[in-house]
Amino acid sequence: DTAVSQTPKYLVTQMGNDKSIKCEQNLGHDTMYWYKQDSKKFLKIMFSYNNKELIINETVPNRFSPKSPDKAHLNLHINSLELGDSAVYFCASSQNWDRGPSGYTFGSGTRLTVV
Amino acid sequence: AQSVSQHNHHVILSEAASLELGCNYSYGGTVNLFWYVQYPGQHLQLLLKYFSGDPLVKGIKGFEAEFIKSKFSFNLRKPSVQWSDTAEYFCAVLSSASKIIFGSGTRLSIRP
């Protein structure tokens, strides 16, 4: 049983397209995240949702929009893709945010390549 | 600004050598510290974490880390590495609720 699953694993698309990455967790966690790992392997948080409510929204272009239909899902929609969006995007979840998480469970990542 | 620094970008060791990867953070408040590992082609996995108590933390696969508050450090150690330890290692700090900051990572290559 995959705890945090992301789809697709690989995504190759042309500049200007709109694409979505889906994330689901079956751990019963309240908090979910999207991280971006750039070509230098540096991870940066993009968004965090707690019980479907946005609690972290780092400085990312408005083209990126997270959507959380329920607390087990956090999808990432990207409009008008640009070359610089090429990266690996990781979804993660944690049990709770206000008492401090015991750790994060990460998905396997989605490698996005914009051509 | 809160930050995490991993000064070793790439470390190359022979099997059975001892390992120490440096991690320094800048944050004056109470910190929760983590080390994550990313094996080739896989997702991040938690190696160990420090929240409070004994500053010497034992993790999985024989790894340990020591929290030294006066030095703002949380270095990762392993007395004898194996080829299977080849991976990317990330130090991270949770500086406030849910705001986790990662270091840039250290690539560890082990020669068989």
Side-chain angles (χ1 to χ4, degrees):
Chain A
D1 288 340
T2 303
V4 179
S5 60
Q6 294 178 232
T7 53
K9 292 190 186 305
Y10 300 94
L11 182 55
V12 181
T13 187
Q14 290 185 325
M15 283 175 56
N17 284 350
D18 302 338
K19 291 293 179 185
S20 291
I21 308 172
K22 295 185 178 181
C23 179
E24 176 182 4
Q25 54 96 2
N26 62 5
L27 298 166
H29 286 171
D30 287 339
T31 310
M32 296 184 72
Y33 312 81
W34 275 109
Y35 285 88
K36 179 180 179 181
Q37 185 181 39
D38 60 24
S39 57
K40 296 182 179 178
K41 300 289 188 180
F42 193 74
L43 275 166
K44 292 183 180 179
I45 190 168
M46 301 174 68
F47 302 102
S48 178
Y49 269 74
N50 186 63
N51 268 324
K52 302 194 297 175
E53 184 178 345
L54 182 65
I55 56 172
I56 291 179
N57 184 1
E58 292 296 298
T59 306
V60 296
N62 291 335
R63 300 180 293 103
F64 290 80
S65 55
K67 289 201 171 38
S68 183
D70 54 60
K71 76 173 192 178
H73 295 83
L74 181 61
N75 303 324
L76 183 65
H77 189 74
I78 315 170
N79 289 326
S80 303
L81 278 155
E82 300 178 357
L83 293 176
D85 298 332
S86 295
V88 180
Y89 292 84
F90 283 93
C91 179
S93 72
S94 65
Q95 185 171 12
N96 198 293
W97 72 275
D98 59 353
R99 288 197 293 271
S102 59
Y104 289 75
T105 303
F106 282 85
S108 56
T110 296
R111 184 176 294 278
L112 171 65
T113 304
V114 183
V115 297
Chain B
Q2 300 149 358
S3 65
V4 177
S5 298
Q6 293 180 246
H7 302 294
N8 311 110
H9 297 296
H10 190 190
V11 173
I12 303 173
L13 295 172
S14 298
E15 276 196 308
S18 64
L19 169 72
E20 180 159 3
L21 301 182
C23 173
N24 290 93
Y25 64 92
S26 63
Y27 181 65
T30 302
V31 291
N32 301 142
L33 296 157
F34 307 84
W35 274 98
Y36 285 88
V37 60
Q38 186 177 21
Y39 296 104
Q42 297 187 28
H43 59 88
L44 284 167
Q45 300 172 46
L46 181 66
L47 268 181
L48 49 80
K49 61 184 185 289
Y50 170 80
F51 281 178
S52 63
D54 189 344
L56 185 61
V57 181
K58 304 283 187 185
I60 61 171
K61 305 186 180 186
F63 285 91
E64 65 178 31
E66 186 173 10
F67 169 56
I68 304 179
K69 189 175 181 180
S70 61
K71 295 185 179 180
F72 295 90
S73 69
F74 190 56
N75 292 353
L76 181 71
R77 300 196 292 250
K78 186 171 183 177
S80 176
V81 294
Q82 302 170 314
W83 180 79
S84 58
D85 292 325
T86 295
E88 194 97 18
Y89 292 82
F90 292 88
C91 182
V93 61
L94 188 71
S95 57
S96 60
S98 223
K99 191 169 178 69
I100 191 167
I101 301 168
F102 286 89
S104 55
T106 297
R107 179 181 299 176
L108 177 63
S109 300
I110 306 298
R111 291 190 290 252

